[in-house]
Amino acid sequence: VLLHSPTALLRGFDVSTSLIKIARQRLPDGIFKVASLQVSPLLYRPASIDFAFAMGSFQYLDSEDHALNAYMGLLEITKPGGFVVIGCMSHPLRSKQETEFRKGPRKKKDKASPLGSPQKLH
């Protein structure tokens, strides 16, 4: 629906040059850049995006700190009342690594990750 809105200005970024090339072919009116989630606040003005969508990217960040910084960056560029949607896909080759990463050195009494409660951050 959003892609076909006559007033939508589509912007996007990805670390993959080949995926950006595909996006430019499929959506020639969009503005797409090769970049990392780590620099999203540098790509767009604060509160300039209505709808931020990240799919299949957060699970590849190296740490919870990087994920939290990327999440905060998406919040920063999203307008008040806008939406931030983050989707993660399971990848069979990484699922064991991700499980081990999530277990990490935490003790049972540690607080939950702030990523589990995004409403506290916004």
Side-chain angles (χ1 to χ4, degrees), residues 6 10 14 16 20 40 52 54 76 78 86 89 102 109 113 120:
L10 301 175
D14 197 286
S16 168
I20 291 298
S40 62
E76 182 180 331
T78 304
I86 299 170
M89 301 179 303
R102 285 187 177 88
K109 293 184 180 182
S113 164
K120 291 181 180 179

Side-chain angles (χ1 to χ4, degrees), residues 26-47:
R26 292 185 182 174
L27 302 163
D29 293 333
I31 301 167
F32 302 100
K33 300 177 182 182
V34 176
S36 162
L37 270 171
Q38 304 292 328
V39 299
S40 62
L42 303 175
L43 295 174
Y44 308 107
R45 292 184 324 272

Side-chain angles (χ1 to χ4, degrees), residues 27-96:
L27 302 163
D29 293 333
I31 301 167
F32 302 100
K33 300 177 182 182
V34 176
S36 162
L37 270 171
Q38 304 292 328
V39 299
S40 62
L42 303 175
L43 295 174
Y44 308 107
R45 292 184 324 272
S48 63
I49 305 292
D50 292 307
F51 182 81
F53 178 72
M55 177 50 124
S57 49
F58 271 73
Q59 70 261 30
Y60 295 105
L61 297 174
D62 341 17
S63 68
E64 274 191 34
D65 286 340
H66 286 156
L68 182 58
N69 289 338
Y71 176 72
M72 296 302 289
L74 291 177
L75 286 179
E76 182 180 331
I77 64 174
T78 304
K79 292 178 182 177
F83 296 92
V84 174
V85 176
I86 299 170
C88 293
M89 301 179 303
S90 178
H91 190 286
L93 298 176
R94 291 196 48 121
S95 60
K96 183 176 179 182

